[in-house]
Amino acid sequence: ADADADADADKYDKTKKPIQLKFKKAAICTGGRATIPTNIPGLQKAPYTTNETLFNLTKLPSRMIILGSGVVALEMAQTFASFGSDVTVLVRSKKLFPRSDPDAGPLLRKELEISGVKFLIQSKVTNVETLSLFDEGEDDLPLMKLSIDYSNDNQVQQQVDLECECLLVATGRTPNVENLNLEAANVEYSSEKGGIIVNDDSQSISNPNVYSVGDCTAGVPRLTHMSGEMAKVVVQNSLFDDDWKLSSLVVPSCMYTEPEFASVGIVSASPDDDNIDVFVASLEHNDRAILDSDRVGYAKIFCKKGTGTIVGCSIIGNRAGEIINEVTLAMKHGIPLQGIGRNIHCYPTTGEAVMSCGLQLINSKWKRLD
């Protein structure tokens, strides 16, 4: 055991000469980290948590404040509220997911509020004060006080001071591209642009022998399954002379709250959009949803006006992350919405909702029978 310890010590001995590895092709997969805002007084010195450190908690915080309102923020908000924490989410905009499906934000907020989550809309943290690193009442939990400007539901500006034992910062991701000496390999990158700049083959635009995968790459979704697909692209293109393109990927996403929220493609259009047809099937009358006593949600499919060409899909409901894959496959291979409508689905399943969207389009072509 002592010999193994000595070997490990030697391996990390910084006084030794660095090992040089030669390669024909290389992939940079250094990932990303939580973005910590630098414009909030007191935050940098506060004992905040991120998605990486949150699970190190050994006790449930009585009060939790979450800075940010994206996927990680809302998943953790509902989870800790269900555990019994008093959870407040600070939302920078007027509603959740302002650039997504216009119906999603209000519905998800309502459901999370039922779970006990509180929201402060159009909020701005003006100061973070660390009251104690270890609060006597909570043993090993710190105590912080946040000063917050926000708007209530009547758009009246207000100010409040809130204390918490856990401050979760969930304001986005920063690529891990610093301190890699990428300049020596002529690998162009920019933290402002989101990481290593690549072409459609996932190659560095300045060094074609170097590839980039995952959150350290500029211009790609920050999703685990996107990183996995990019790894396939790099293996095929670098080792087997294939021609897989990042631009060919149709990438769905899912937020694992209750209910789940899954989407793919363009989902920001409203029903009165001149270029988009929107087909919606509520889960209220879906027999599987009725049997499961979980009738909240819908499937919504967006098509090019006057066609069945699918450009996006938004699903809220139980197992939305599994249902979305059928629509993603259709988009990837050019299957129109009518094809989903004609695809036989098992009964009773929540997935029948996307079939119902297809049937709406088919039935809209019916002619009047005299």
Side-chain angles (χ1 to χ4, degrees):
D2 291 340
D4 290 341
D6 291 340
D8 287 340
D10 288 343
K11 184 170 29 175
Y12 299 109
D13 186 352
K14 295 182 180 180
T15 64
K16 290 198 170 187
K17 186 178 180 180
I19 298 174
Q20 290 188 345
L21 300 177
K22 294 183 179 181
F23 58 86
K24 292 183 178 179
K25 306 288 183 182
I28 300 173
C29 317
T30 51
R33 62 187 183 277
T35 299
I36 308 301
T38 58
N39 60 347
I40 301 176
L43 177 61
Q44 297 290 329
K45 296 182 179 180
Y48 59 80
T49 62
T50 68
N51 65 302
E52 295 177 0
T53 60
L54 180 64
F55 299 101
N56 294 334
L57 291 176
T58 58
K59 292 197 173 186
L60 181 69
S62 298
R63 296 161 295 183
M64 183 181 199
I65 297 176
I66 301 180
L67 181 57
S69 57
V71 171
V72 170
L74 298 184
E75 288 175 345
M76 293 302 99
Q78 189 177 50
T79 298
F80 275 79
S82 68
F83 289 163
S85 296
D86 186 334
V87 180
T88 302
V89 175
L90 307 183
V91 185
R92 184 172 58 180
S93 56
K94 291 183 179 180
K95 67 175 186 177
L96 300 179
F97 303 110
R99 294 186 294 274
S100 186
D101 173 3
D103 294 324
L107 177 55
L108 291 166
R109 177 181 173 180
K110 177 182 177 182
E111 291 303 308
L112 265 68
E113 285 177 336
I114 291 174
S115 298
V117 179
K118 302 172 185 175
F119 293 91
L120 295 184
I121 304 300
Q122 290 183 287
S123 61
K124 179 182 178 181
V125 179
T126 57
N127 188 63
V128 178
E129 181 182 356
T130 301
L131 301 178
S132 67
L133 290 177
F134 298 100
D135 182 50
E136 293 181 359
E138 295 293 335
D139 293 331
D140 55 354
L141 292 178
L143 183 64
M144 291 156 281
K145 181 172 73 173
L146 278 69
S147 298
I148 306 163
D149 294 334
Y150 72 100
S151 297
N152 64 18
D153 288 335
N154 295 321
Q155 298 300 303
V156 177
Q157 289 289 325
Q158 295 184 308
Q159 195 278 332
V160 67
D161 290 337
L162 295 179
E163 293 184 358
C164 66
E165 290 77 30
C166 180
L167 171 60
L168 173 61
V169 180
T171 54
R173 304 288 293 171
T174 295
N176 292 328
V177 291
E178 306 90 348
N179 304 318
L180 298 178
N181 201 18
L182 295 177
E183 295 84 357
N186 191 30
V187 175
E188 186 174 339
Y189 70 96
S190 169
S191 297
E192 292 73 26
K193 293 182 179 180
I196 297 169
I197 303 172
V198 299
N199 61 19
D200 208 16
D201 296 321
S202 207
Q203 287 174 304
S204 162
I205 62 170
S206 51
N207 185 341
N209 291 317
V210 176
Y211 294 75
S212 183
V213 171
D215 286 6
C216 61
T217 313
V220 300
R222 271 39 178 162
L223 299 165
T224 301
H225 47 278
M226 180 61 183
S227 299
E229 189 63 26
M230 290 181 71
K232 300 176 196 174
V233 169
V234 169
V235 168
Q236 292 297 130
N237 292 347
S238 64
L239 300 181
F240 302 107
D241 297 323
D242 220 323
D243 193 30
W244 290 21
K245 301 296 185 185
L246 294 180
S247 59
S248 71
L249 304 181
V250 181
V251 187
S253 64
C254 184
M255 180 175 71
Y256 297 100
T257 47
E258 294 182 357
E260 294 179 8
F261 172 42
S263 65
V264 63
I266 300 171
V267 297
S268 57
S270 61
D272 56 357
D273 192 303
D274 292 335
N275 300 312
I276 300 292
D277 287 326
V278 183
F279 302 90
V280 184
S282 170
L283 296 183
E284 183 180 0
H285 302 294
N286 177 278
D287 284 353
R288 179 55 181 268
I290 293 172
L291 288 169
D292 291 343
S293 299
D294 193 4
R295 298 161 66 178
V296 173
Y298 56 80
K300 184 185 295 188
I301 297 182
F302 303 78
C303 295
K304 288 184 180 179
K305 195 75 172 180
T307 75
T309 302
I310 303 171
V311 298
C313 177
S314 173
I315 302 174
I316 292 180
N318 186 27
R319 302 292 184 181
E322 297 179 10
I323 301 169
I324 197 77
N325 296 319
E326 177 182 1
V327 183
T328 302
L329 182 68
M331 293 175 64
K332 172 76 173 176
H333 295 284
I335 300 171
L337 181 55
Q338 296 95 321
I340 293 180
R342 291 295 308 277
N343 185 36
I344 300 174
H345 290 64
C346 290
Y347 172 89
T349 57
T350 315
E352 290 179 281
V354 294
M355 179 182 68
S356 296
C357 291
L359 291 175
Q360 289 177 31
L361 175 56
I362 293 171
N363 295 351
S364 70
K365 308 297 182 182
W366 283 356
K367 297 180 179 178
R368 181 181 179 86
L369 298 177
D370 296 325

